[in-house]
Amino acid sequence: MNENVISINNENVENFKPSLQTAFTSSSLVVPPFKNTSHWIKENNDTISTTTSTDEHLYFIDRIKRLVRQLFSINLCLSMLILSLILISTVAIFAVTFVTQQRSIEEYSSMIGNQLRFRTSEYITQFMKSPFQILEAWAIKSKRQSFGRTESTENILNMMYAFFAVNDVTFISYTRSDDYNIGMFYDNDIGSIAVEVYRDGVWTNSSIPIISDDGVVALPDPKDDPGDTYPNHMNDMAWWTNSRDIFSQLNQTQVGAWSTIYADYNGQFWISAYRPLFNYTFNNETGETEKVMDILYSIDLEMTIVSNYLRDNLGLSKNSFVYIVQSKDTIMVASSKIDNDELFVFDLTQERYIIPKRLNESKIDVVSGVGNKLLGDYGFDISNITIPSFKYNGYQIEISSVTDKYGLSWSIIAFVAIDDFSGQVIEFRNIVIIVDSIVITFSLIMAIIISRLITSPLSRLGKKMEEIRKINISSDFLKPNGDDDSEDLEQIPSFNENNNTNTHVPSMSNTVYPEPPKQILSHKHHDNPTQRFKFLQNSLFYEVSVLQKHFTKMSHAVQGFMKYVPVEIVSTFLKGDPSSFELGVSEKRIAIFFSDIANFTSICESLEPSDIIEMLGHYFEKLSEIIYQNKGILDKYIGDAVMALFGAPETFEDYAYYCCYAAYEIQIALKKMNSKFSKIGLPTLNTRIGISVGDVLLGNIGSSFRLSYTCLGDSVNLAARLEGLNKMYGTSILISDSCYQLVKERFVCRLIDMVAVKGKSQGEKVYEVVCRMDHSTESIVEQCLSYENILTECYWKKDFTLAKAEFESFGKKYPKDKASIEMIRRCDDFMHRDAKIFEQWDGVFVATEK
């Protein structure tokens, strides 16, 4: 037999009976006496088999769960991420296709724009040529027939009628320099071709139909039926003088010219083509031959006809249109958008009765936008434009110029709406883009979800590890009970009892000091600490889940450790500095805080121990919270007393201010706490606080068995003694002179006395913290100054009789001020002593009690 196998005999069985019975006590099975063990086993065999089967089933389920969790490994997730990237790459290929398609759409739009521009150019070219073809033919025919001034009226009318009827012109005229003019046009009022005649400064009163059953009628003399008259004859006619000026500046070879656009009395806009005949005369004075305009043939063209043609004949698409502008200044001439835009402004006060408008002044946004772009790139003159094709706000812009030999230069600007010519393509493209966008969005969402599923647990774990290193396990609160004491932070309770005024006085300093920023607490106790890390236990990944479980256990241990050691000290431990665990101290200047509950012994005698513990729990919770919020650390609890340090272990700016502000907040918070205690029949708690600032020995003190991070020094003793002095003066917060020098610009403080605390012979000024400087009132300032004046001018100058009288007067005005009562008692005592005792007295009161 193997020696490792233990034989079981009757003696062994008897020895194990008690332990077996104990082991089965908690079981659902009934344990019989050991004498009937075999019988019991037989009776419960089915139960044992059932239990075993259930355990195996649970184990199998747990095993399956673990296998399923292991499937969600980082490798699998990375594979899915790669698949998503492949999908995105596929979509990118389609995107390139769409870009190419977009380019084709743009090329097609440009082609349509060129076609629109070409058709417009054809019309405008013909528009420019036709008048001069007629005028040139008329002038040549007149020369061949030797007509001139001797040309008969009948011949003039017949020739004008022939050109007018065949070419369908709007207005044609014949003018001679001898004060004679005939104009032919179609008169809608009489329904016939008519003429108007001017002769020797007089116009006919009305238009005259020239066609009758017998042919062309003879013209009457305007003097027989006079209308408008011109005293200066031809010189009063702007079109004559303008054309004369135009041709006087042209070279000898140019035989025609265009007028500028003008308006008539009816508000219609025109442009005129001029063809002159000249006489050449010799000037005896200058000795030169002069060119003088003798006859002027002209055709007037209504500009509305051009715009109507563009609107009615160039409708290549619903939203495309054309504008024609003067190349030299972008003044609008015609447009297919004539119904939606204003090309000219009719104004009888202006020269030629017209105010022209440039392209950038159009009422249509896209037109004015293109006008501004051209203005910015080329100025007003676009005759030499370098980029005649570009896109602007969904339009393909095509620009070309048409110029004739008579000085007219117009630019055609075609606005091609891209969407009009690519509707089906764009519709198909949009469908594909929508589908691809959905696919891309889904792929991105999947990639983000997968990557977050991979990285988020690890990131959270890393952040929590960093929080532990920085001792910031929980930061889910600032004031755990939702209390906000900021509205009550005006002045400490002792002064609330003596002052009723709400009149605020300006700060004694030019600097405004707001409340110190609160430090978010990292040590708050939770009733169920596992809830804080519950999210760490729900990771989808097996590998991360294992890390999270171990981390949760470690964090619970660290959190429990922080309840016994200040979190700042634990933080230095976690930084891994070996000196943090060594015995030793260093000198440092900090603020020391001591607090104690007044008459706590009497309170304990009147309450049950459980009530005392509960009250202290609430009390310490609030004090600790305020201390930590103001960057202090709790050194220790000493019964009902609290010792805290400010400026340790790391020094920070304004540590004395934070310490005083914590004491100030504690007194305000106690008002609310005491109100709640009173409502449930519990006694109120009054806390006395002492604060000093000075150099201390700070560090690890103790032995190799146990260390304590604390401080030693006179400043520590002084803070404790100041806390006790509150009882004598009836104050709540007393601070040392060194502390006062650091906070006097931020708090209203009252000089209470000069005291040598017990165990010290050197006296020091002691101050009471009254309120924040920005919450001070006239009454508070007056009370503080009055007390200080009595103290310094009477009491310290050994005039105890006067000091007593002044303190008594002060006490009548502020009857609840216990400091003045103490000083009255002291003055009365000093008055009955031998005056020689005070010959060397420097005003210091030597305290004999702690």
Side-chain angles (χ1 to χ4, degrees):
M1 180 180 293
N2 191 325
E3 60 183 6
N4 292 327
V5 179
I6 302 176
S7 61
I8 302 178
N9 50 33
N10 292 334
E11 182 179 358
N12 290 333
V13 172
E14 292 298 327
N15 291 336
F16 278 91
K17 282 180 182 180
S19 61
L20 288 173
Q21 285 180 332
T22 301
F24 280 96
T25 299
S26 61
S27 173
S28 61
L29 303 177
V30 179
V31 183
F34 267 79
K35 291 182 179 180
N36 301 319
T37 301
S38 59
H39 178 67
W40 172 81
I41 292 175
K42 182 178 181 180
E43 290 179 353
N44 293 282
N45 184 54
D46 294 338
T47 304
I48 294 173
S49 300
T50 302
T51 303
T52 304
S53 176
T54 302
D55 291 339
E56 290 178 352
H57 177 69
L58 293 174
Y59 175 79
F60 179 75
I61 292 176
D62 182 70
R63 185 65 178 172
I64 291 176
K65 288 182 178 179
R66 293 182 63 186
L67 289 174
V68 171
R69 289 176 63 81
Q70 288 177 356
L71 287 177
F72 290 94
S73 63
I74 295 178
N75 290 331
L76 176 62
C77 293
L78 289 176
S79 299
M80 295 181 66
L81 182 60
I82 293 173
L83 290 176
S84 300
L85 293 175
I86 292 174
L87 179 61
I88 294 174
S89 300
T90 303
V91 173
I93 295 174
F94 284 104
V96 173
T97 304
F98 293 145
V99 171
T100 305
Q101 188 181 50
Q102 180 66 29
R103 184 177 299 173
S104 299
I105 292 173
E106 293 174 0
E107 291 176 354
Y108 179 73
S109 299
S110 180
M111 180 186 69
I112 296 298
N114 288 330
Q115 181 181 354
L116 183 63
R117 186 180 58 181
F118 176 75
R119 289 177 58 184
T120 305
S121 297
E122 282 187 324
Y123 172 76
I124 296 301
T125 301
Q126 186 62 33
F127 175 84
M128 292 179 176
K129 285 182 179 180
S130 296
F132 286 100
Q133 289 175 343
I134 297 171
L135 295 175
E136 190 66 23
W138 187 3
I140 292 173
K141 189 173 183 180
S142 295
K143 288 181 179 180
R144 286 177 179 175
Q145 295 181 5
S146 301
F147 292 148
R149 290 180 177 274
T150 61
E151 188 174 9
S152 67
T153 300
E154 183 179 354
N155 287 335
I156 295 173
L157 285 176
N158 286 330
M159 195 173 298
M160 290 178 66
Y161 180 77
F163 287 119
F164 184 89
V166 173
N167 294 280
D168 192 24
V169 297
T170 306
F171 191 95
I172 187 170
S173 66
Y174 169 87
T175 308
R176 285 202 310 257
S177 60
D178 61 347
D179 218 18
Y180 185 63
N181 173 269
I182 301 174
M184 183 176 292
F185 59 97
Y186 186 86
D187 192 332
N188 291 316
D189 293 334
I190 62 177
S192 172
I193 297 175
V195 295
E196 56 183 11
V197 181
Y198 166 85
R199 181 74 180 180
D200 296 329
V202 181
W203 283 97
T204 53
N205 187 43
S206 60
S207 58
I208 304 165
I210 63 169
I211 302 298
S212 66
D213 295 336
D214 299 328
V216 177
V217 300
L219 294 178
D221 190 328
K223 293 181 180 180
D224 297 333
D225 185 21
D228 295 335
T229 61
Y230 289 86
N232 298 316
H233 300 270
M234 298 291 285
N235 291 327
D236 283 342
M237 297 182 186
W239 52 271
W240 172 261
T241 57
N242 288 339
S243 60
R244 185 180 59 194
D245 294 340
I246 290 172
F247 286 106
S248 66
Q249 298 173 9
L250 297 178
N251 55 49
Q252 299 290 339
T253 61
Q254 185 166 329
V255 295
W258 289 94
S259 73
T260 57
I261 297 174
Y262 60 92
D264 60 18
Y265 283 105
N266 298 320
Q268 293 179 299
F269 300 99
W270 303 81
I271 188 170
S272 298
Y274 300 133
R275 172 64 169 90
L277 288 179
F278 297 97
N279 279 335
Y280 296 90
T281 61
F282 183 78
N283 190 324
N284 294 324
E285 294 180 0
T286 61
E288 295 179 356
T289 301
E290 294 181 350
K291 180 177 68 173
V292 179
M293 188 170 67
D294 187 43
I295 299 175
L296 181 66
Y297 304 97
S298 65
I299 292 178
D300 300 339
L301 304 173
E302 190 176 0
M303 295 307 302
T304 307
I305 296 176
V306 181
S307 295
N308 290 340
Y309 175 85
L310 297 177
R311 179 192 62 194
D312 300 335
N313 297 280
L314 296 180
L316 294 180
S317 73
K318 179 180 179 181
N319 297 303
S320 298
F321 52 91
V322 177
Y323 269 73
I324 299 175
V325 301
Q326 294 180 170
S327 300
K328 63 180 181 179
D329 51 18
T330 67
I331 287 178
M332 294 183 289
V333 173
S335 170
S336 60
K337 284 282 189 179
I338 186 65
D339 299 329
N340 305 101
D341 203 353
E342 184 179 40
L343 304 183
F344 313 101
V345 177
F346 175 63
D347 189 344
L348 290 173
T349 64
Q350 299 293 319
E351 184 181 0
R352 299 187 302 278
Y353 309 146
I354 187 174
I355 300 176
K357 297 179 67 176
R358 289 188 169 89
L359 191 67
N360 63 315
E361 297 173 327
S362 170
K363 292 181 178 180
I364 301 175
D365 292 339
V366 67
V367 177
S368 61
V370 170
N372 285 320
K373 175 176 173 55
L374 294 175
L375 178 63
D377 293 343
Y378 305 101
F380 290 119
D381 189 351
I382 60 172
S383 55
N384 296 316
I385 187 170
T386 57
I387 305 177
S389 178
F390 57 88
K391 288 189 296 183
Y392 185 86
N393 282 4
Y395 285 85
Q396 180 69 31
I397 311 299
E398 300 289 339
I399 303 175
S400 63
S401 296
V402 178
T403 304
D404 73 347
K405 63 181 180 179
Y406 301 108
L408 192 62
S409 178
W410 288 351
S411 290
I412 301 169
I413 304 177
F415 293 78
V416 182
I418 297 176
D419 291 346
D420 289 353
F421 301 99
S422 55
Q424 293 182 348
V425 176
I426 291 177
E427 183 179 358
F428 172 75
R429 182 196 67 184
N430 291 341
I431 292 174
V432 176
I433 288 176
I434 291 173
V435 173
D436 274 359
S437 298
I438 294 173
V439 174
I440 291 173
T441 302
F442 178 76
S443 301
L444 290 175
I445 292 174
M446 288 299 298
I448 292 172
I449 292 175
I450 293 171
S451 62
R452 286 188 64 85
L453 288 175
I454 295 172
T455 59
S456 292
L458 296 175
S459 298
R460 290 198 299 266
L461 190 60
K463 289 179 180 179
K464 286 299 172 183
M465 289 180 176
E466 182 65 16
E467 288 175 1
I468 285 185
R469 187 187 71 82
K470 296 180 178 180
I471 310 301
N472 189 26
I473 290 180
S474 174
S475 58
D476 56 351
F477 77 102
L478 188 59
K479 291 184 178 292
N481 297 322
D483 295 336
D484 186 2
D485 301 327
S486 60
E487 295 180 358
D488 299 326
L489 295 181
E490 295 183 358
Q491 57 201 49
I492 61 176
S494 63
F495 267 77
N496 276 329
E497 297 171 356
N498 293 326
N499 297 284
N500 298 319
T501 180
N502 291 322
T503 303
H504 285 262
V505 297
S507 172
M508 296 181 183
S509 171
N510 293 327
T511 305
V512 177
Y513 296 100
E515 297 182 13
K518 303 300 184 185
Q519 174 172 277
I520 296 179
L521 307 187
S522 59
H523 56 282
K524 179 66 180 170
H525 171 71
H526 288 257
D527 295 333
N528 186 4
T530 60
Q531 291 298 319
R532 192 178 322 151
F533 301 99
K534 184 176 181 179
F535 69 92
L536 291 178
Q537 300 172 1
N538 296 327
S539 175
L540 185 64
F541 303 105
Y542 175 77
E543 298 92 336
V544 179
S545 178
V546 174
L547 293 175
Q548 290 172 340
K549 289 179 181 179
H550 293 295
F551 171 76
T552 301
K553 294 178 182 179
M554 180 188 69
S555 63
H556 289 165
V558 173
Q559 186 185 18
F561 184 54
M562 288 190 299
K563 294 182 182 296
Y564 296 92
V565 181
V567 294
E568 291 78 8
I569 311 307
V570 177
S571 176
T572 60
F573 295 162
L574 293 177
K575 289 178 181 178
D577 185 3
S579 63
S580 302
F581 305 94
E582 297 176 357
L583 184 67
V585 295
S586 60
E587 187 174 357
K588 193 169 191 177
R589 192 169 186 81
I590 63 172
I592 303 97
F593 171 103
F594 264 97
S595 72
D596 193 18
I597 300 175
N599 302 319
F600 186 68
T601 301
S602 300
I603 294 174
C604 291
E605 292 174 353
S606 62
L607 294 176
E608 295 294 330
S610 59
D611 294 333
I612 296 172
I613 296 301
E614 185 175 358
M615 284 186 70
L616 277 180
H618 287 290
Y619 171 79
F620 284 145
E621 182 74 19
K622 194 62 179 179
L623 260 67
S624 302
E625 176 189 342
I626 293 174
I627 289 171
Y628 271 103
Q629 285 177 339
N630 288 281
K631 302 185 181 181
I633 66 168
L634 285 170
D635 183 273
K636 58 176 69 71
Y637 297 110
I638 311 169
D640 61 309
V642 174
M643 177 180 174
L645 310 178
F646 290 78
E650 300 295 336
T651 301
F652 57 88
E653 189 177 359
D654 293 334
Y655 59 89
Y657 170 56
Y658 277 91
C659 183
C660 290
Y661 195 86
Y664 178 68
E665 269 196 306
I666 287 170
Q667 295 295 347
I668 301 301
L670 278 177
K671 290 177 63 179
K672 286 192 173 184
M673 187 181 296
N674 285 333
S675 177
K676 294 178 181 179
F677 287 160
S678 298
K679 290 179 180 179
I680 59 177
L682 292 176
T684 59
L685 302 179
N686 295 317
T687 297
R688 299 187 291 248
I689 299 173
I691 299 172
S692 69
V693 172
D695 296 327
V696 298
L697 295 177
L698 181 70
N700 295 326
I701 299 173
S703 66
S704 59
F705 293 94
R706 183 174 180 179
L707 296 175
S708 176
Y709 185 87
T710 186
C711 61
L712 300 173
D714 287 341
S715 295
V716 180
N717 180 64
L718 177 58
R721 297 292 185 266
L722 290 176
E723 177 274 317
L725 283 178
N726 281 290
K727 181 178 180 180
M728 176 184 296
Y729 297 104
T731 53
S732 297
I733 305 173
L734 287 181
I735 63 175
S736 65
D737 183 64
S738 57
C739 180
Y740 168 76
Q741 298 301 328
L742 296 176
V743 302
K744 62 183 179 181
E745 297 294 332
R746 306 188 185 191
F747 284 98
V748 175
C749 299
R750 177 170 64 150
L751 176 61
I752 291 294
D753 201 355
M754 188 185 302
V755 182
V757 298
K758 186 176 181 180
K760 287 289 185 178
S761 59
Q762 186 71 26
E764 181 170 350
K765 290 180 181 179
V766 177
Y767 295 84
E768 176 191 13
V769 175
V770 177
C771 67
R772 281 171 47 183
M773 188 67 71
D774 54 346
H775 288 160
S776 62
T777 65
E778 293 179 357
S779 178
I780 292 174
V781 174
E782 180 183 357
Q783 183 178 353
C784 294
L785 294 178
S786 297
Y787 183 93
E788 182 176 343
N789 187 58
I790 300 171
L791 188 69
T792 58
E793 299 301 323
C794 300
Y795 178 74
W796 283 350
K797 292 184 178 180
K798 308 173 190 178
D799 191 349
F800 302 120
T801 303
L802 179 58
K804 179 182 178 183
E806 292 294 334
F807 276 125
E808 287 175 344
S809 176
F810 180 87
K812 290 178 181 180
K813 188 173 182 180
Y814 306 102
K816 295 184 178 181
D817 187 82
K818 295 182 180 179
S820 61
I821 296 174
E822 167 62 21
M823 300 309 291
I824 292 171
R825 183 201 62 76
R826 195 182 299 174
C827 287
D828 188 63
D829 179 45
F830 289 174
M831 288 167 56
H832 292 86
R833 294 190 184 186
D834 189 354
K836 294 182 179 181
I837 299 176
F838 299 98
E839 289 179 357
Q840 301 298 323
W841 185 65
D842 56 0
V844 175
F845 174 76
V846 180
T848 57
E849 297 180 358
K850 292 184 179 180

